[in-house]
Every structure is written in C-alpha cells, then in structure tokens.
C-alpha cells in the first residue's frame, strides 16, 4: 500500500486502491470458503456427485430434487428439526426474557445470576452431551431419581423412549444456551430509560403491570432478534443429538443436518446431500428474510 | 446470598431498575423475584456441581450409589486414568493452537476489511458490504461437503490448517468491527489524513489502539467458537494425535463404555479452560454479545 502525502483527502492513485486492498485478504477467504462452496453446493445438486469418484459425475437434472422431495426420511428429519426448534425456541425466548426482567431489578448480585445462567454457554457441546447422558441415564441418572422423589412410579427412559428423547435433548439445550439470550435481553433492558419506570410508578402502575405494558413492549426489537437468532441456531442442530442419541431411538431425533452428514460423508452421496443442504439453506434464508421484513416495517413505523 | 440488595433510591447509575419499593406490592414482588431467581440459578448450577462431585468419587462407589453427592474418600483416580488412556495433552495443545491461529487471522483480516468498509471510500463499497452481510445467512454446516472436498484435494486433512482455514472468514467479526469503527469521530481520521498519513498507518497507529473493546470481543468469541467447534474437526481430523479437545473427548467415550466417574472427569477437564476464560473476561464477553446487532 503506497502511502500518499496529499494534504487533502483527494483520490490520488494510492488512495483509490487503499480500500479495496485492505478488503482483499478477507474477501479472498470469503470467496474461497463461503461463496465458492455455496456455488458448488447448488451445482452438485444437479449432478450424481459421489465422494468415491473425482469430479461432478453425471448430469442428473432434477433427479436429486425429486429423490429428496420424495424421500420420507427427508421429511421426517425436517419434521424432527422443526419439532426441536419449537421445543427450544419457546422456552429459550420466554424464560430468558423472564429471567432478565427479574435480574434487572437487582444491581448487586447480578454477576452471580449472569455467571449461573451464562457459564454453561461457553462449554463445548461434547461436554454438555457427556453431562446429560449421565443425568438422563436409565436406573442411575439424576433425572430419574428426581422424578421418583416427586412420586412418579416408573420414570421414562429419557433418551431411550421415542416420545421423550427429543424433549430431553431440548431441555439440555435450554440449560446450555439460555445465557446467550439472557445477556441479549439484559443489554436491551439497559436501553429502557429509568424515567419510564418512574412515570409509570407515579401513575400507580404496579410492578407486574409496568413489566407487562411498559417494559416488554419496549423490548420488541430485542425479542425479534433473539427469536430469529434462536430459530436459525435451532434449525442447525447437530452436535448434541449426534452425541446423545445419534438420531435414535428409531430415528426419532435425527435432524436434517445429520441426514446431510450421513448421506454425504458416510454414504458418499454428495449430490443428494448437497440438495438437502440447499433446501435447509432456503428454509434458514426464509426465516432471515421474514426477520428483515419485520425490522424494516418496524423502522418505517417509527 | 446477603450480598444481593435492591437498588437504593439515591443511587444515580445508568441502570434501569425502578425506584425503591414504595408500597407493599413492590416489596412483595421483589421478594418473589429474588426468590425465584436464586432458585433457578442454583438449579442451573446443579449439573456442573454434580459432574464435579461425581468425578472425585471412587469408581466403586459410583457403581453402588450412582446418584450420591458426597464421598468420604475423594480421589483423583478418574483424572489419572483419563490422562493415561487418552491423548489429553495433545488435544489441549491442538485446541489451543487451532483456536489461536484462527483468532489471529480473523482479527487481522476482519478488522482490515471493516476499516476499509467503514472509513475509506471506493466504488462498490456498499455492494461489498451487502455481499458480506448476506454471508451471515449462510450456515457454515451446509457448506461442509465442498469445503471438505477442497481441503482433501489440497492435502490438508489431518492438519492444523485444515481445521483453521474455513473458520477464518467470520462475517460477524467484520460486522462487530465495523459497528465500532463507525463510531470513531470523523475529525480524528480527517486530521490524520490532512497530516498526510496513509490509510494503513491510520488503521495501525490510530484506529486499532482505540479499538481494544472490539478486538477483545472478537478475540473471545472467535476463540471460544473454534475451541468448541465439533462437527468440522470431526470431519477433517481422524488421527487421534491431531484431534481437538471436543472430538477427543467423544472418542474416549467409546473406549470406556460407562465408567461415569471417568466420563465426568473428562467433562470437567473439557469445561475448565473455558470456565476460566469466562470468569476472567465475563464483562468483555457479555459486552461483545450485547453489542452484536442491537444498537
């Protein structure tokens, strides 16, 4: 990068290229590892690409798409993914909001709450999975013991029963990741001016009414952000399911990403796996675009 | 927990807590709020505490009474067995090396890119920014197959670079830096330009030194993200001596079957470095998260 000695910010030669030049290193990585692979994924979906043969393989037209869309397993893994998304997003948004609203009332001691709720978030998924496989273990886990205390005669096999496995994994996920949303909400609450509270209190509104009618509506932007980030994160679930149940029992917890992993890396059917990848990407893109539309509408109203 | 108190009325800090309780309903609400918060916080700490408690119990005791909390004979045997069985020192080193490499590359490249987008002016600057932002929507896991094929043909499987390179272009990092740089007063930059300073010098000598909050936020979330990444290193690394900690820990699980004291010991070992990072940089981590896309 040539430095210029021009006294004013006119665009001399060195200047015009400074910006693009500084952007270049990151842009190269971005093109090689994000844009390139995205294009490859789109293209490979139209070919019979396989891990076992080099190159793209034979042109397949839309046959991968018809194979995927006609595959009951694709729809089942998508259903599992959506079920997991519902099971995690609802508590992770509502409970983190409730916790932040309560914690916001106390100044001293806030570090303790922040530590308790946020500490699990920094753990690797492998550690979380090990921990909860032990907690959910049949006959000797903490979870079965706790429900037995409460008088349940025959506690379910948390990870071995198809009706319970996804719920158990979702509960572990809530424990693991709630701290992130909790912190986002605490930050949002910093922006609610004190005067708002005082004015409402003078008007005779009780604490519960103030929270419901004044504070929560003011957190609208944060809630939208938290919800969308959560939905996107939940749609990409893989690690803890792979480690805790490996998609079982009977495939009842197998998510879309595991279908991609199994068909692409285990069976080597790259064309098929690329098609599933692209469809999952479109679902995530759709969620993101809905969020953008909501944010833009909100900004226009203000 | 006597340290917890409601905010006194006279305190003039930038928080948002309501004024001190004036009526009984206020007082009651605060009591219930505090009670439920403490109860939930303790509940949240139970799994971690239980892992720690189990890991120091003798293996025989865990077999006879799996849900016991306390032992009369605490022992570190489980930890010793993990060290003997696995390649734990390798995994720690590998995780540390890959996380550090990725973090350094990401911080340098993302801050340079963000500086160009924020402070310099060139054609297509806006378009470049929009294109980068679009990258936030691409889930990395969906691109694993082509990334894997590319690294395979480059002969980078089972290497540090294989783990590191695809994790470098972190769009969120650019975004956090740009947010911060946009807040730097124009006068500062203009004055330096008038003095004839080149853009690189402004970036290195003026902007970076005052951007420490952004640098530490990005450093922490990239480092922790790479340290905790599971799926990518699982694909790229098959050699036990090249595994990162999360992948190594799950490989131990298959070896042991179910000696829970050892499993919990490995969970504790996997958790400790991160909990230490978190305890040290709690404020920075929280600021980093809070500053992402909210303001």
């Amino acid at each position: 990068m040539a430095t210029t000695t021009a006294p004013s910010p006119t665009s001399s030669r060195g200047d015009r290229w400074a910006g693009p030049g500084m952007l270049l290193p990151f842009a190269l990585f971005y093109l090689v590892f994000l844009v390139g692979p995205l294009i490859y994924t789109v293209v490979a979906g139209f070919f019979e690409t396989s891990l076992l043969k080099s190159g793209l393989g034979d042109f397949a037209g839309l046959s991968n798409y018809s194979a995927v869309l006609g595959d009951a397993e694709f729809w089942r893994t998508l259903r599992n993914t959506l079920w997991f998304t519902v099971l995690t997003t609802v508590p992770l948004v509502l409970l983190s909001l409730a916790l932040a609203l309560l914690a916001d009332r106390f100044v001293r001691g806030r570090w303790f709450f922040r530590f308790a709720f946020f500490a699990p978030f920094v753990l690797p998924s492998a550690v979380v999975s090990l921990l909860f496989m032990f907690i959910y273990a049949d006959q000797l886990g903490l979870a079965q013991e706790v429900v037995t205390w409460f008088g349940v005669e025959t506690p379910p096999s948390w990870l071995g029963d198809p009706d319970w496995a996804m719920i158990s994994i979702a509960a572990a996920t809530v424990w693991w990741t709630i701290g992130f949303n909790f912190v986002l909400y605490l930050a949002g609450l910093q922006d609610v001016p004190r005067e708002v509270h005082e004015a409402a209190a003078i008007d005779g509104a009780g604490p519960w009414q103030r929270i419901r009618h004044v504070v929560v509506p003011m957190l609208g932007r944060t809630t939208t952000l938290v919800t969308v980030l959560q939905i996107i994160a939940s749609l990409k679930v893989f690690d803890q399911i792979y480690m805790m149940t490996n998609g079982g029992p009977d495939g009842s917890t197998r998510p879309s990403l595991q279908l991609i992993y199994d068909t692409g890396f285990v069976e080597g059917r790259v064309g098929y796996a690329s098609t599933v990848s692209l469809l999952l990407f479109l679902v995530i893109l759709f969620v993101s675009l809905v969020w953008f539309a909501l944010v833009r509408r909100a900004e226009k109203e203000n | 927990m006597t340290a917890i108190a409601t905010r006194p009325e006279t305190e003039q800090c930038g928080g948002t807590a309501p004024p001190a309780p004036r009526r009984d309903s206020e007082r009651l609400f605060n009591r219930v709020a505090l009670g439920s918060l403490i109860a939930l916080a303790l509940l949240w700490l139970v799994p971690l505490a239980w892992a720690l408690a189990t890991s120091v119990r003798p293996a025989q005791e865990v077999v006879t009474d799996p849900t016991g909390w306390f032992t009369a004979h605490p022992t570190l045997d489980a930890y010793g067995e993990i060290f003997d069985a696995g390649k734990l020192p390798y995994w720690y080193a590998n995780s540390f090396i890959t996380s550090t490499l990725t973090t350094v590359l990401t911080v340098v490249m993302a801050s340079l890119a963000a500086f160009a987008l924020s402070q310099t002016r060139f054609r297509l600057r806006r378009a470049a920014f929009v294109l980068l932002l679009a990258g936030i929507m691409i889930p990395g896991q969906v691109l694993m197959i082509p990334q894997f094929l590319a690294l395979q043909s480059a002969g980078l499987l089972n290497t540090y670079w294989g783990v590191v390179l695809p994790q470098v272009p972190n769009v969120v990092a650019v975004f956090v830096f740009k947010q911060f740089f946009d807040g730097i007063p124009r006068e500062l930059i203009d004055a330096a330009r008038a003095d004839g300073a080149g853009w690189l010098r402004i970036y290195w000598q003026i902007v970076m030194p005052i951007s420490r909050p952004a640098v530490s936020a990005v450093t922490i979330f990239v480092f922790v993200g790479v340290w905790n990444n599971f799926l990518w290193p699982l694909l790229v690394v098959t050699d036990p001596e090249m595994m990162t900690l999360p992948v190594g820990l799950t490989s131990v699980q298959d070896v042991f079957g179910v000696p829970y004291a050892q499993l919990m010991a490995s969970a504790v070992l996997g958790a400790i470095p991160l909990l230490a990072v978190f305890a040290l940089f709690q404020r920075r981590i929280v600021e980093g998260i809070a500053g992402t896309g909210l303001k």
Side-chain angles (χ1 to χ4, degrees), chain B residues 79-97 160 227 240-245 248-249 252 269:
Chain B
Y79 290 90
E81 279 150 16
I82 294 267
F83 265 95
D84 295 340
K87 302 193 178 297
L88 211 69
Y90 284 96
W91 300 338
Y92 270 121
N94 295 338
S95 276
F96 188 79
I97 292 166
Y160 289 140
W227 183 282
E241 290 192 2
M242 288 301 292
M243 284 176 180
T244 56
L245 191 67
L249 285 181
V252 171
L269 288 170

Side-chain angles (χ1 to χ4, degrees), chain A residues 1 3-10 15-16 18-20 22-23 25-26 29-30 33-34 37-38 40-41 51 95 99 102-127 130-135 137 139-142 145 174-176 178 180 183-184 187-194 197-198 201-202 204-208 210-211 221-222 225 236 238-239 242-243 257 260-261 264-265 270 273-274 277-278 280-281 284-285 288-289 292, chain B residues 1 3-7 9 11 13-19 22-23 25-26 29-30 33-34 36-38 40-48 50-51 54 62 66-67 69 109-110 112-113 115-117 120 122 128 131-132 134-135 137-149 151-152 165-166 168-171 174 193-194 196-200 203 224 227-228 230-231 234-235 246 249-250 253 260 263-264 266-267 270-271 274-275 278 282-283 285-286 289-290 292-295:
Chain A
M1 252 349 85
T3 52
T4 77
T5 48
S8 64
T10 52
D15 255 359
R16 201 165 0 138
M22 293 169 114
L23 191 60
F26 188 90
F29 266 84
Y30 182 79
F33 290 106
L34 263 102
L38 185 65
Y40 180 94
T41 303
L51 267 190
L95 188 60
L99 292 174
L102 296 181
D104 191 53
R105 301 176 74 85
F106 306 102
V107 179
R108 268 181 292 174
R110 196 181 296 178
W111 67 268
F112 169 70
F113 300 131
R114 212 162 55 185
F115 180 83
F117 297 128
F118 193 82
F121 185 74
V122 299
L123 301 180
S125 50
V127 168
L130 281 178
L131 192 51
F132 277 86
M133 280 159 81
F134 184 28
I135 288 175
Q139 278 97 49
L140 45 88
L142 201 56
E145 171 144 334
V174 169
W175 176 83
W176 179 28
I178 198 161
F180 186 79
V183 167
L184 281 181
L189 281 163
Q190 294 297 319
D191 296 342
V192 177
R194 235 185 116 115
H197 274 289
E198 283 165 4
I202 289 164
W208 172 241
R210 285 207 305 274
I211 284 177
R221 262 192 72 183
T222 312
L225 180 82
K236 296 192 291 194
F238 174 84
D239 298 14
Y242 176 79
M243 286 181 263
L257 213 55
I260 296 168
Y261 175 84
F265 288 94
V270 174
S274 296
S277 297
L278 198 70
L280 181 63
F281 172 52
I284 291 170
L285 194 66
S288 315
L289 291 175
F292 270 127
Chain B
M1 298 300 335
I4 298 175
T6 52
R7 190 191 304 243
E9 201 161 11
E11 194 168 319
C13 84
T16 57
R22 261 171 265 195
R23 295 193 312 273
S25 76
E26 203 81 42
F29 189 88
N30 272 344
L34 192 58
S36 25
L37 260 180
I38 292 174
L40 275 165
L42 292 175
L43 177 72
W44 239 252
L45 293 171
V46 164
L48 292 172
W50 198 44
T54 306
V62 181
T67 46
W69 279 87
M109 291 188 193
L112 265 174
F115 178 84
L117 293 168
T120 67
F122 55 93
L131 203 70
L132 277 191
M137 294 184 202
I138 309 174
Q141 294 90 333
V142 166
L143 306 176
M144 309 179 290
I145 297 170
Q147 287 175 346
F148 177 85
L149 293 171
L151 288 162
Q152 189 181 34
L165 293 176
V168 171
N170 190 319
V171 184
V174 176
R193 294 292 296 158
W199 283 116
L200 260 181
Y203 159 81
V224 172
W227 183 282
N228 286 347
F230 173 73
L231 183 50
L234 177 76
L235 294 172
L249 285 181
T250 42
Q253 198 188 314
Y260 280 112
L263 279 188
M264 289 305 101
S266 57
L274 288 160
L275 290 176
F278 175 56
Q282 185 176 0
R283 224 188 67 233
I285 293 176
V286 168
I289 290 175
T292 315
L294 271 178
K295 297 284 180 290

